[in-house]
Amino acid sequence: MRSSAASDVYKRQNQASSSIMHTFSLTLKNTTFHLISHFLTLLNERNFQQLEREFQLTKNAYDEILEELEYEGILLKKLSLPPKDIAFTALNDNRAIFELYEINTPEKIGIDCCLYANNHETVLTLSGTLEPKENCLVFHFSGIHA
Protein backbone atom coordinates (compact mmCIF):
# COMPACT_ATOMS: atom_id res chain seq x y z
CA MET A 1 0.00 0.00 0.00
CA ARG A 2 1.44 3.38 -0.90
CA SER A 3 1.11 7.01 0.07
CA SER A 4 2.93 9.76 -1.82
CA ALA A 5 2.32 12.54 0.74
CA ALA A 6 4.12 10.57 3.43
CA SER A 7 6.99 9.87 1.06
CA ASP A 8 7.44 13.59 0.42
CA VAL A 9 7.32 14.32 4.15
CA TYR A 10 9.88 11.60 4.83
CA LYS A 11 12.22 12.92 2.14
CA ARG A 12 12.03 16.45 3.56
CA GLN A 13 12.67 15.16 7.08
CA ASN A 14 15.55 13.00 5.90
CA GLN A 15 17.17 15.94 4.10
CA ALA A 16 16.61 18.35 6.98
CA SER A 17 17.79 16.02 9.72
CA SER A 18 21.45 16.00 10.61
CA SER A 19 21.11 14.07 13.86
CA ILE A 20 21.13 10.30 14.21
CA MET A 21 17.71 10.26 15.88
CA HIS A 22 14.82 12.54 15.04
CA THR A 23 11.11 12.84 15.59
CA PHE A 24 8.92 11.72 12.73
CA SER A 25 6.02 13.92 11.64
CA LEU A 26 2.42 13.34 12.60
CA THR A 27 1.60 13.01 8.89
CA LEU A 28 4.08 10.16 8.51
CA LYS A 29 2.78 8.48 11.68
CA ASN A 30 -0.83 8.78 10.47
CA THR A 31 0.06 7.37 7.05
CA THR A 32 1.96 4.50 8.63
CA PHE A 33 -0.91 3.82 11.02
CA HIS A 34 -3.28 3.66 8.04
CA LEU A 35 -0.98 1.35 6.05
CA ILE A 36 -0.56 -1.12 8.90
CA SER A 37 -4.25 -0.98 9.79
CA HIS A 38 -5.02 -1.91 6.19
CA PHE A 39 -2.49 -4.76 6.38
CA LEU A 40 -4.21 -6.04 9.53
CA THR A 41 -7.66 -5.73 7.93
CA LEU A 42 -6.55 -7.94 5.06
CA LEU A 43 -4.97 -10.35 7.54
CA ASN A 44 -8.21 -10.47 9.57
CA GLU A 45 -10.08 -11.25 6.34
CA ARG A 46 -7.49 -13.98 5.56
CA ASN A 47 -7.06 -12.33 2.16
CA PHE A 48 -3.65 -13.72 1.25
CA GLN A 49 -3.91 -12.75 -2.42
CA GLN A 50 -4.42 -9.07 -1.58
CA LEU A 51 -1.65 -9.17 1.07
CA GLU A 52 0.65 -10.66 -1.54
CA ARG A 53 -0.31 -8.08 -4.16
CA GLU A 54 -0.27 -4.96 -1.95
CA PHE A 55 2.46 -5.85 0.55
CA GLN A 56 4.47 -8.53 -1.28
CA LEU A 57 3.77 -10.92 1.60
CA THR A 58 5.00 -14.44 0.85
CA LYS A 59 2.98 -17.57 1.51
CA ASN A 60 5.61 -18.72 4.04
CA ALA A 61 5.36 -15.42 5.95
CA TYR A 62 1.56 -15.58 5.87
CA ASP A 63 1.59 -19.14 7.24
CA GLU A 64 4.06 -18.13 9.97
CA ILE A 65 1.78 -15.27 11.02
CA LEU A 66 -1.20 -17.60 11.33
CA GLU A 67 0.91 -20.11 13.25
CA GLU A 68 2.05 -17.42 15.73
CA LEU A 69 -1.51 -16.18 16.18
CA GLU A 70 -2.70 -19.73 16.82
CA TYR A 71 0.13 -20.32 19.30
CA GLU A 72 -0.87 -17.16 21.20
CA GLY A 73 -4.53 -18.21 21.18
CA ILE A 74 -5.72 -15.23 19.14
CA LEU A 75 -6.11 -16.75 15.66
CA LEU A 76 -9.86 -16.11 15.63
CA LYS A 77 -9.70 -12.64 17.18
CA LYS A 78 -9.73 -9.34 15.29
CA LEU A 79 -6.24 -7.84 15.19
CA SER A 80 -5.70 -4.10 15.30
CA LEU A 81 -3.25 -1.44 16.33
CA PRO A 82 -3.58 0.39 19.63
CA PRO A 83 -5.99 3.33 19.58
CA LYS A 84 -4.26 6.37 18.05
CA ASP A 85 -4.34 8.36 21.27
CA ILE A 86 -2.31 5.59 22.91
CA ALA A 87 -0.17 4.77 19.88
CA PHE A 88 0.96 8.35 19.28
CA THR A 89 1.43 9.54 22.85
CA ALA A 90 2.06 6.67 25.28
CA LEU A 91 5.61 5.79 26.22
CA ASN A 92 6.62 2.34 27.36
CA ASP A 93 10.16 1.37 28.31
CA ASN A 94 9.38 -2.34 28.01
CA ARG A 95 8.15 -2.52 24.41
CA ALA A 96 7.23 -0.45 21.41
CA ILE A 97 3.66 0.76 21.32
CA PHE A 98 3.92 2.46 17.91
CA GLU A 99 7.50 3.35 17.16
CA LEU A 100 9.11 4.63 13.98
CA TYR A 101 12.91 4.57 13.96
CA GLU A 102 15.86 5.05 11.67
CA ILE A 103 17.65 1.99 10.36
CA ASN A 104 21.01 1.60 8.62
CA THR A 105 19.44 1.24 5.19
CA PRO A 106 19.19 4.55 3.32
CA GLU A 107 15.67 5.95 2.93
CA LYS A 108 14.04 3.19 5.01
CA ILE A 109 12.31 3.57 8.35
CA GLY A 110 11.74 0.77 10.85
CA ILE A 111 8.39 0.29 12.54
CA ASP A 112 7.48 -1.71 15.65
CA CYS A 113 3.98 -1.64 17.11
CA CYS A 114 2.07 -3.67 19.64
CA LEU A 115 -0.90 -5.62 18.42
CA TYR A 116 -4.36 -5.65 19.92
CA ALA A 117 -6.80 -8.56 19.63
CA ASN A 118 -10.50 -7.77 20.07
CA ASN A 119 -9.46 -4.33 21.39
CA HIS A 120 -7.16 -5.71 24.10
CA GLU A 121 -3.37 -5.45 24.14
CA THR A 122 -1.50 -8.67 23.35
CA VAL A 123 2.12 -9.67 23.98
CA LEU A 124 2.77 -9.54 20.22
CA THR A 125 4.70 -6.89 18.33
CA LEU A 126 4.44 -6.35 14.59
CA SER A 127 7.68 -5.29 12.87
CA GLY A 128 8.37 -3.96 9.41
CA THR A 129 9.95 -1.27 7.31
CA LEU A 130 8.68 1.71 5.37
CA GLU A 131 10.30 2.62 2.09
CA PRO A 132 9.60 5.41 -0.39
CA LYS A 133 9.10 4.00 -3.90
CA GLU A 134 7.84 5.79 -6.98
CA ASN A 135 6.76 8.82 -4.89
CA CYS A 136 4.81 6.57 -2.51
CA LEU A 137 5.43 4.97 0.87
CA VAL A 138 5.47 1.16 0.97
CA PHE A 139 5.13 -1.03 4.09
CA HIS A 140 7.15 -4.26 4.15
CA PHE A 141 6.21 -6.79 6.83
CA SER A 142 9.16 -8.26 8.76
CA GLY A 143 7.54 -10.33 11.48
CA ILE A 144 5.21 -10.78 14.43
CA HIS A 145 6.87 -11.79 17.68
CA ALA A 146 6.30 -11.94 21.42
Side-chain angles (χ1 to χ4, degrees):
M1 187 87 182
R2 300 173 179 198
S3 172
S4 61
S7 178
D8 293 341
V9 169
Y10 171 71
K11 286 178 185 176
R12 283 194 304 271
Q13 284 181 332
N14 196 34
Q15 292 167 350
S17 176
S18 60
S19 64
I20 294 174
M21 296 289 292
H22 68 268
T23 303
F24 294 98
S25 75
L26 185 57
T27 301
L28 181 60
K29 288 180 182 180
N30 274 314
T31 300
T32 303
F33 193 93
H34 173 73
L35 286 170
I36 296 172
S37 292
H38 181 62
F39 177 90
L40 292 174
T41 296
L42 295 175
L43 184 61
N44 287 328
E45 295 170 352
R46 302 298 188 257
N47 192 339
F48 170 70
Q49 288 76 21
Q50 202 66 21
L51 285 164
E52 182 181 41
R53 184 174 22 262
E54 291 186 37
F55 297 98
Q56 296 76 48
L57 188 71
T58 66
K59 181 69 170 134
N60 285 344
Y62 178 75
D63 291 341
E64 287 176 17
I65 293 169
L66 297 181
E67 184 178 307
E68 183 68 26
L69 296 176
E70 184 173 23
Y71 178 79
E72 294 295 332
I74 58 173
L75 182 62
L76 301 178
K77 295 183 178 181
K78 180 184 175 196
L79 298 177
S80 63
L81 292 174
K84 275 189 183 181
D85 61 330
I86 293 172
F88 290 4
T89 61
L91 299 175
N92 187 337
D93 292 336
N94 298 320
R95 68 183 287 206
I97 294 178
F98 188 85
E99 182 179 331
L100 298 174
Y101 55 90
E102 293 181 346
I103 57 177
N104 291 332
T105 306
E107 293 199 21
K108 286 189 179 181
I109 299 171
I111 174 74
D112 285 334
C113 47
C114 68
L115 290 178
Y116 277 47
N118 288 352
N119 298 316
H120 296 284
E121 186 175 352
T122 71
V123 298
L124 297 178
T125 300
L126 179 141
S127 298
T129 58
L130 302 166
E131 176 182 21
K133 276 192 178 175
E134 301 171 10
N135 297 321
C136 297
L137 191 64
V138 180
F139 170 68
H140 298 283
F141 170 82
S142 298
I144 291 179
H145 52 88

